[in-house]
Structure formats: structure tokens, C-alpha cells
Amino acid sequence: MEVVDVWTGQLACTLQSALRMTNESFANRLGISPRTVATWHSDSDVIPRPEMQQLLDSVHEDASAAVRKRFASMTAATGQADTAATASKAQALRVAIAVVVRDDEVLMVCRRGDDASGITWQFPAGVIKPGVRPETTTVRETLDETGVHCAIRQNLGERLHPVTGVHCMYFLCEYLAGDATNSDAVENVDVTWVAKSTVTRFIPADKIYPPILEVLEEDI
């Protein structure tokens, strides 16, 4: 059986096509959120996280011989297999980061372990899809990921993240409604509110975008 060394968004979508599944049914098969599948469709070069790689391996291995043959034929026709075998990292993505404040607290999520970045606690974030405004992504992804409704208060700027190399756009957001819940258990371990004064206990100060620290200190 052909083995995929590194799954990319394009390869994952090709497997979905080989299985002849919709975004929703493919997400259910993997046990992930449909928005993650949509992200793979919007950015074919993205490299899914390690746990996603394992899930895709399992679905591929468990597929029928006909599906695996169809998948191999589709990847060979587009040269995807060679690309995946030599891929070492994802191309730069544009990601919207939500710094959601509620009184003296800020919303945070705990990502599942990723040896490549070493990041665990983060602010809610989502990939900015082509044609979608960063502000829209910020509000929508925060709701999808945490169950919290928020509104943009201020654009805090943008940078290439020092650890991941991802192009990040940061937005200070005002809490509107909703209970903080872990709505994406595949990617996240926990979602919670933390005191603004304790943020650096969760993320090292030198890894936090300076304008975020400044605005949190102003609000304390």
C-alpha cells in the first residue's frame, strides 16, 4: 500500500475526493470540525498538525482497495505525491488572532502538543481564507472555536510569528456573549478565561506581540 510521508491540505482534499465525501461527512469520518476541512480546501499547501496527520493516515489505511487505488491515481496525475514527500513545512499563512477581553480577563485556548512549534496556550485564531476580511475571520473563528461572541475593538497590527513563521494579524476584541467552551476538541485541550495580569504565565512574554501586552496592561 502506498504510504503518504507528509499530508498537505491538497492531499487531504484528494483523499476526500477519493472517498467521494462532502466536507461534513469527511470531517465526521476524521472526527474533526468541518472548518478544518474547509481550511485545507482554501490553502492546499498547509501541513496539518501531527495529530491530524495520524488521523489522515488511519482513514487512508482503512479505506477500501478501490478508494486507495483512486487516491493513488489522482495524486499521480497531479504530481502531489512527490510534492508531499519533499515538503518540510507549510508555506506562510495569514492568520487572524483574537485578543478577547472581558472585564479583567482575556480569552485563551490550549492547543494540543505540536513538537514543531512548542506552543500550547494561545489566543483564539483562524486562517484567513481568500476573499474573506481578517475582521470577519476573527469574529467567526472565535465563535466556532470557543462559543464566545465578540466584536472588533481595535486592530493591533501584524507580524510574522517568531516561532511558526505565520503571518499574524492581531485584533483586540470586546466580549459580547456566550460561555467559553472547547468547541474543537481535536485541536484544543481547553478554553478558558484568564486574568490579564497572568497571561505571561501561559505564554512567555518574549513570544507575545508587544502591542498585546501594552493593551492588556492599560486595561488592568
Side-chain angles (χ1 to χ4, degrees):
M1 181 177 68
E2 180 181 339
V3 175
V4 175
D5 291 331
V6 180
W7 288 96
T8 63
Q10 185 176 17
L11 276 171
C13 293
T14 301
L15 177 59
Q16 175 188 351
S17 296
L19 289 164
R20 293 175 177 167
M21 289 182 167
T22 64
N23 282 11
E24 290 72 20
S25 60
F26 189 47
N28 288 336
R29 177 74 172 270
L30 290 164
I32 64 176
S33 168
R35 70 186 179 88
T36 299
V37 176
T39 297
W40 296 339
H41 281 277
S42 66
D43 191 334
S44 62
D45 293 319
V46 67
I47 306 295
R49 295 166 63 84
E51 61 272 16
M52 297 291 187
Q53 296 277 336
Q54 295 173 8
L55 290 172
L56 289 163
D57 282 341
S58 296
V59 170
H60 180 237
E61 292 167 4
D62 293 342
S64 67
V67 169
R68 292 199 301 271
K69 183 177 180 180
R70 188 158 53 242
F71 173 77
S73 176
M74 295 168 74
T75 55
T78 58
Q80 294 178 54
D82 291 339
T83 300
T86 58
S88 61
K89 63 179 181 178
Q91 294 185 354
L93 303 177
R94 293 175 68 230
V95 173
I97 313 292
V99 183
V100 185
V101 295
R102 182 184 69 176
D103 299 325
D104 62 348
E105 298 176 314
V106 62
L107 185 64
M108 299 189 72
V109 300
C110 185
R111 305 289 188 202
R112 294 192 180 279
D114 185 341
D115 294 337
S117 69
I119 289 176
T120 51
W121 286 98
Q122 302 177 10
F123 300 105
V127 174
I128 303 171
K129 300 172 186 176
V132 179
R133 296 177 65 244
E135 294 83 355
T136 301
T137 297
T138 303
V139 172
R140 180 183 299 160
E141 291 296 325
T142 298
L143 177 60
D144 289 346
E145 191 170 25
T146 71
V148 168
H149 295 267
C150 67
I152 302 294
R153 183 199 293 182
Q154 178 184 348
N155 184 334
L156 296 176
E158 54 191 272
R159 67 167 178 172
L160 287 180
H161 196 280
V163 175
T164 64
V166 170
H167 182 179
C168 298
M169 303 182 69
Y170 299 86
F171 296 91
L172 178 65
C173 304
E174 189 72 35
Y175 167 79
L176 297 178
D179 296 325
T181 56
N182 185 5
S183 303
D184 192 347
V186 171
E187 291 196 14
N188 301 329
V189 177
D190 194 13
V191 173
T192 189
W193 294 97
V194 306
K196 296 173 184 175
S197 60
T198 66
V199 168
T200 54
R201 297 180 187 175
F202 295 83
I203 307 175
D206 62 344
K207 297 296 190 298
I208 301 177
Y209 187 47
I212 293 177
L213 291 175
E214 293 172 7
V215 76
L216 292 181
E217 290 173 356
E218 289 174 0
D219 285 351
I220 292 176

